[in-house]
Amino acid sequence: EKYFSTRVVPEFSSSGHVESLLAVTRDTSSRKQAEQQIISQQKLLEGVMDNISDIIAIQYPDHSIERYNQAGYDLLGITPDEVRGRKCYELIGRDRECEECATRKALQHGKMGQLEKYVPELGVYLDCRSNLVLDEKGNIVRIVEQLRDITEHKKAEAALKASERKYREILSTIEEGYYETDLEGNFVFFNDNLCRVLGYNRDELMYLSYKKLFQKPEEVFKTFSRVYRTGKPETTASWPVITRDGREFFAEFSIVLRRDESGNPIGFRGIAKDVTERKHYEEKLKYLSLHDQLTGLYNRAFFDEEMKRLTESREYPITVISADLDELKLINDTMGHARGDELLQACAEVLRRSLRSSDILARVGGDEFAVLLPRTDRAGGEEIARRIQSNAAQHNRERPTLPVSISLGVAVAASKDITLEETYKKADDLMFREKRSNHDGARSKMIDSFLAALEERNHLNTGRAERLSALCRAMGKRLGLSSTRLANLHLLARGHDLGKVTVPEGILFKAGPLSEDERMIIRQHPEKGSAIAASSPEFSRVADLILKHHERWDGQGYPLGLKGEEIPLECRIFAIANAFDAMTGDRPHREKRSKEEALQELRRCAGTQFAPELVELFLEEFGKQTA
């Protein structure tokens, strides 16, 4: 198949008529084929353009449009006939060029122009790229502009930024520290609270290695390595952390593996919390679970566990000492539980000072203590028992107002053939045997300590008990009392103020007037003293006299309000002697009186405060001496 082009040229006669036709025929097959090929390529190009999702615009240098691809027509909602010759900005409803134009940038700079812009008329974001088309002479003949709709991308980007902003706002408000590290353990992201927790500012913490923070970085490395290998998140119990200023605290970290979009590990992230207070609380609970809260010694639970441990050990021979604080109930009943607690603490200190660092001391009951002495035979155990009693004696010399008396029992387990439970029971039995045999002696020593303490506290009236005894016995003899009653007067003179060991010194020696509450505390001492005396073999027979030694003849005394002869004779005698000595002796809250003034005051109070016939007797006996 060929294509020809024929040219017919007429030939004219002299008269002007066509005489003939000259036909010239040319074979144009090759040209026709070239034209068809161009058309075909143009259609192919147009087809390709129309199948591109991006918008393609062919423009002239004056911004007039030659054509769009189908995506362009669809976006603008127009046909090709409505496009040709019109400016690009006119097609979106504007009357002038856009302020931002990729084509103008390309024309100005002679290279591709690129920008992103929002087209409100179309409601889309476009990524615009304009390329110049030049002829063989370098003249610009066309501009090809590629427009990509990036609206969804922009929305996603905005949503991501909003999400990140919200994410960061959340991280900034949580109390815990949030962190992200690379695989080397360097901090790459964190919130402000992590800075607060770790004691660093943001610049100091950024890219700081974990090795600079932790007291034991090798433990931290093991945990992070395990999370990397397994991919499983972990939460640490607590790690000691060193802050920038050298302060140590405990922090709890959660650790999660960070991955990129392809799932490859890129680092770690998690939460860090300061758990120092909780750690200390847990340690305190652990301490309290094994220790007695009052004395700080080990408790019964720990003692029992140690007996089990030592039973299977090579620490034999093992000596067990059972110790019991004497007269704790007496102190609690008469001086109060606070004073009893002081006595327990004093006993614990005596025992603690008497033992070696390897020995195990526990408070196993209210007033019961126990000691385990590993690698200690009987001689060693007896020596420690003597040391305990020696230290107790030293304590009593230093603190006579709070004397410590301890009953001890010592038993030895030479080998595993004898269980420590049996050994402890034997020591306990021996302790109770000593306690029973020493009971009266311990009471007497404690009462003597009280009296000595009172004498020491009342140093302005040293020898007062002897003076009172002499006054009372002189009157008793004038009345013809028996030797027993005279002895009771002597004991009453010595022990009438036993109850004052329970009175605070601030009240007992107050220089100014006493308040009503303070007077009430003072007035409790006869009852307290009577209770103390009743527990003593020596003073028990005058316990009732001590209770009633502040009663008055007119019934206005205390604590029972007895009057007249309801008051025991010994107490009536003592009241006069006590008042006389008090008026003529030194007292912090009243001036000393002369003997004449004191006798005159006794006469004035006869029949009210004092028994009148006994006042007369006292005046007869001692008035002569004064005169």
Side-chain angles (χ1 to χ4, degrees), residues 425-441:
K425 185 178 184 307
K426 183 176 180 181
D428 216 33
D429 291 341
L430 292 171
M431 180 274 294
F432 276 113
R433 189 180 304 171
E434 179 177 286
K435 192 175 185 72
R436 284 193 298 271
S437 64
N438 293 340
H439 178 268
D440 291 346

Side-chain angles (χ1 to χ4, degrees), residues 71 106 121 155 240 278 386 413 418 455 463 473 476 526 550 586 597 625:
E121 293 84 354
K155 288 181 179 179
R278 190 186 76 188
R386 285 191 293 272
I418 304 174
E455 183 75 17
R473 287 172 63 84
H550 268 294
D586 292 318
E597 291 174 325
Q625 298 176 16

Side-chain angles (χ1 to χ4, degrees), residues 55-75:
I55 300 162
I56 306 296
I58 308 298
Q59 303 181 31
Y60 295 105
D62 64 354
H63 296 285
S64 60
I65 301 297
E66 179 180 344
R67 73 179 305 273
Y68 283 112
N69 66 349
Q70 190 59 48
Y73 296 129
D74 292 342
L75 176 66

Side-chain angles (χ1 to χ4, degrees), residues 104-116:
R104 186 170 65 249
K105 290 179 68 173
L107 291 170
Q108 288 174 347
H109 302 291
K111 60 182 180 180
M112 183 182 74
Q114 181 180 3
L115 57 82
E116 292 180 1

Side-chain angles (χ1 to χ4, degrees), residues 269-283:
R269 60 180 170 83
I271 296 292
K273 294 189 291 186
D274 184 344
V275 295
T276 305
E277 186 175 345
R278 190 186 76 188
K279 181 76 173 178
H280 289 167
Y281 183 69
E282 289 172 352
E283 289 175 352

Side-chain angles (χ1 to χ4, degrees), residues 293-295 340-350 352 369:
Q293 190 170 359
L294 177 65
T295 63
D341 288 346
E342 284 187 53
L343 188 63
L344 283 167
Q345 290 168 333
C347 179
E349 183 57 29
V350 166
R352 188 186 287 113
F369 300 83

